Amino acid sequence: MNQVIMSKTLNIFRKLIFAHILFLIVMSVFRTVFFFYYSPLNSLDGFYLDILNAFILGFRIDLTVIGYIQAIPTILLIVLYYIKKEVLLNYFEKFLVYYLFIFFFIVSLLLCADFGFYSYFKEHINILFFGLLDDDTKALMITFWQNYNVVLILAIFFAYLAFLFLSIKKIFSIKNKNYNSFLGLKISALIFIILFILNFLAVRGTLGMYPLGKMIPNVSTNEFINKISHNGFRAYTNALSARKKYLARKYDLLKATGYKGNIEKAFEVYKGTSDINKEDLLKNITYQTKKNDDKEYNVVVIMVESFGLPILKYQSEKFNILGELKKHFDKDILLTNMISAGDGTISSLQALLLNIPHRPTSFAFSQSIYKQTSFAYSPAFLYKGQGYETSFIYGGDLTWRSLGQFVKHQGYDNVEGKINIFNHLENINKEKDEYFHPWGIFDEYLYSHILKKLEISDKKQFIVALSTNNHPPYNIPNDCKSKSLIYNDEIKNHITGDFDLAQQRFKSYAYAVDQVGVFLDKFKKSKFKDNTIVVVTADNNTIDGIMKYDDNQLLNSKNIPLYFYLQEELKEKIDVDTKVTGSHKDIFPTLYNLTLKDQEYISIGANLFDSSLAHYGFNGSMIVTNKEKVEKLKSIEEQTNSKVLNYYKANLAITQYLINYYHKKGKE
C-alpha cells in the first residue's frame, strides 16, 4: 500500500462524507418544513412513533440519493489510487467541490418542485409532472409570478445556494490527516471493497430484496405520515422511469393487471359470469338504450375546472362559495358521491370523451400513438349519427396538450378554442386583454358562446365544453363583483398552507361556479329549457391540495359534483339516487339512455339512473368507490382478494383491449 496516496485518498473520502452529512441535514430540514406546512393532523397524539419512523425512513431514502451521487467519486478515487499520481488526486479534489455543488443543486431543485407539485395534487411528483412541463410554458411562468413572491423565493434560494457552495468549499479546505490504515486495515484492495460495498448499500437503502427507492414501505395507518418519507428526487426518478417505459411502449396494462393472454377472464369478471360472448368480446360491453320518451333533446355537457365538492359543505350566506349556482343545485339533480376519473384535467377529460376509466400512469391520448385514432364508439360519433351537430368548445388554446388535433378525430363537427369564442363575442367594450387570463378566456364568455350556439342552431345540438377559470394563477375579471367569502374558524382550521393563496383560490373558485349559475339563470329563461339537457361536472378536486378532512380522506380528495338539469316530466320517469357512486365513465351512458332511442353503444361505464346495475367510481390513483366502500390499490400489479379492486383491474384490462381494438382498426 502506497501510504501517501492512500492517506490522500482517505482524506478525500472523509471530506466527501462531511459534505454528504451536511446535505442530509438540509434534506431532513426540508422534510420537516414539508411536514409542518402540509400536515392535515389536528393532533399528533397517537402518531409520535409513526412520525419518528417516517423521518427515519425518509433519512434512509435521502441516503440512497447520496449513494447515487457518491458512486462516481468512489469509482474514480479507486482508479486514481492505482494510477498513483498525487497531482491527479489534487485536481480531482478541487473538481469534487463543483461536482457536489451541481448535484446538490439539482436535488434541491427537485425538492422544491416536489413541494410545489404537492400543493396542487397532494401527491409527490408522479407522471403528471411531465404533463405540466408540456403545458403552456408562458402561462406557467405567469402563474408562478402571480401566485408567489418570486423575488423573495429566488433571493432565499440563491442565498441557500451560496451557503451550500461556501460550505462545501470550506469542508474541502479542511487540513488533511495522516492515515496509516482504514478501520485497522492496510490492504488497499480490502479497503476499497469495503468502501464500494458501503456505497452500494447506501444506494439500495436496504438489505431486502427490493431497493428502498422502488419499494417504500408504509410506517403508519395515516396516509400523510406515509408520504413524509418520500423525497422529490426519488419521486422524480420513479416518474421518469414510468415515462420512459411508456414512450418505449413498455406500458403494458394487460400484463400489469394479470390479463395478458387471458383477456376473456377480464370480461367474465366484468360480467360476473363465465357465460360471455367469446367470439366478439366487445359485445359484452355493448348495450341498447332504454329511452323513456319520444322527445328529442339538445345535450350540453360542461366540465368545470377544479370544481371539487367537499368545500361546499361550508356554504352559507357569509361564505357564499356557490353564488348563483346554489339555487340550481337545490332544485335540480345533484349526485354527490362521484369521483373524478383522473387527478389532472386531461386525464378526466379523455375519460369523459371516451367513456372509459383513466389508465394509471398513462399519457394523454392527444400526446401518444392514439393522437389520430378515431374511437368510433365514442359519444360524438353516436350523436352525429342521430342527426346532431356536434361541438367541442374549450376556453383555452386548442394547442394545449395537442387537444384540438385529438378531438377533431372524435366525431366533432366543430372544435373551438378561446380565439373562436372571442371572435364570436358581441358588444366588445373592453381592451382585448381583459377578456383573457393566462390559460384562456374567462368562463362567462365561454357560457355566452354556448347560449349563442343554441340560439342560432337549426338542428339538434350536442356540445361538450371545458372551462379554464379556477386555475393557477386564479385570476378573475377586473369588473367581477365577488360574493361574500367570510372565513370562520371551522373553515380556517381545515385549510393547510398559505392562507392568502387559499383565499385567492377560493375567490377564483367562487367566480367559476357562480358563472355556471349565471349561465343556468339565462338558460332557464330561454326557449331551450324545454328541449335541452344540461350536465355540469368537474375535472378534479385540486382544491384538495389545501384542504384537510375530518373523515373519509380518500373519497373527499377525489369528490366532484355531477349536476343534471332535466325537464320535470322527464325527471318523474327516472329513478334518481343522489348517493349513487360513479365517475366520468358513467356520464354518457346515462345521457344515452335519456336522449337516444334504441341506440346500441359501447361503454365501460353504467347508466347512473338504473338502480338495477352495480355502480362504481374509478380514479386513476387506483381508488375505487362502491356504495359505502372506498378502496385503493398500492399498484396495478398488486394481488388482492378484494372483489371491488379485482373488478377495477378487470375494467382496466377491458379498457386497454378496447383502445387496442380501435387503434388497430384505425391503421387498417
Side-chain angles (χ1 to χ4, degrees), residues 240-281:
L240 184 62
S241 174
R243 182 175 188 261
K244 285 180 177 178
K245 285 180 180 178
Y246 179 82
L247 295 177
R249 302 305 302 141
K250 292 180 182 178
Y251 179 79
D252 192 339
L253 193 56
L254 292 176
K255 181 180 179 181
T257 53
Y259 290 106
K260 191 166 188 176
N262 191 23
I263 191 61
E264 291 179 0
K265 182 63 178 176
F267 282 94
E268 289 176 5
V269 173
Y270 175 85
K271 298 284 285 186
T273 177
S274 59
D275 184 19
I276 64 170
N277 187 332
K278 296 183 180 181
E279 300 300 319
D280 186 355
L281 289 174

Side-chain angles (χ1 to χ4, degrees), residues 414-528:
N414 309 300
V415 179
E416 301 175 310
K418 67 178 186 182
I419 297 302
N420 305 88
I421 297 170
F422 179 78
N423 288 340
H424 283 89
L425 288 178
E426 297 175 351
N427 302 318
I428 294 176
N429 52 17
K430 298 185 288 188
E431 292 293 325
K432 184 177 179 180
D433 288 349
E434 293 189 50
Y435 290 87
F436 297 93
H437 58 93
W439 290 93
I441 197 164
F442 286 114
D443 286 358
E444 59 195 84
Y445 306 114
L446 167 67
Y447 300 134
S448 66
H449 186 64
I450 294 171
L451 287 171
K452 186 68 176 178
K453 188 173 282 288
L454 289 172
E455 183 181 329
I456 64 175
S457 64
D458 56 4
K459 60 191 301 188
K460 293 179 292 183
Q461 294 293 304
F462 170 74
I463 300 171
V464 177
L466 172 64
S467 74
T468 54
N469 265 111
N470 195 25
H471 186 292
Y474 310 112
N475 299 116
I476 61 175
N478 295 332
D479 55 359
C480 173
K481 295 181 180 179
S482 299
K483 302 287 195 297
S484 173
L485 289 176
I486 298 174
Y487 297 80
N488 60 29
D489 289 340
E490 185 182 9
I491 300 172
K492 289 179 180 178
N493 290 336
H494 286 83
I495 294 173
T496 62
D498 186 340
F499 182 66
D500 289 336
L501 181 57
Q503 287 181 293
Q504 195 174 340
R505 291 183 72 164
F506 286 128
K507 193 172 183 180
S508 177
Y509 178 106
Y511 164 77
V513 299
D514 181 64
Q515 287 305 313
V516 179
V518 172
F519 162 75
L520 289 171
D521 286 343
K522 295 176 180 177
F523 165 78
K524 288 182 178 181
K525 293 175 183 177
S526 73
K527 62 182 180 181
F528 321 116

Side-chain angles (χ1 to χ4, degrees), residues 155-186:
I156 293 172
F157 189 67
F158 282 118
Y160 158 74
L161 291 179
F163 160 78
L164 193 62
F165 180 76
L166 292 173
S167 298
I168 296 169
K169 200 169 182 181
K170 180 72 173 176
I171 288 170
F172 275 83
S173 66
I174 294 174
K175 187 177 180 180
N176 287 340
K177 292 184 176 182
N178 184 26
Y179 288 107
N180 295 315
S181 65
F182 175 73
L183 299 177
L185 295 172
K186 295 186 177 182

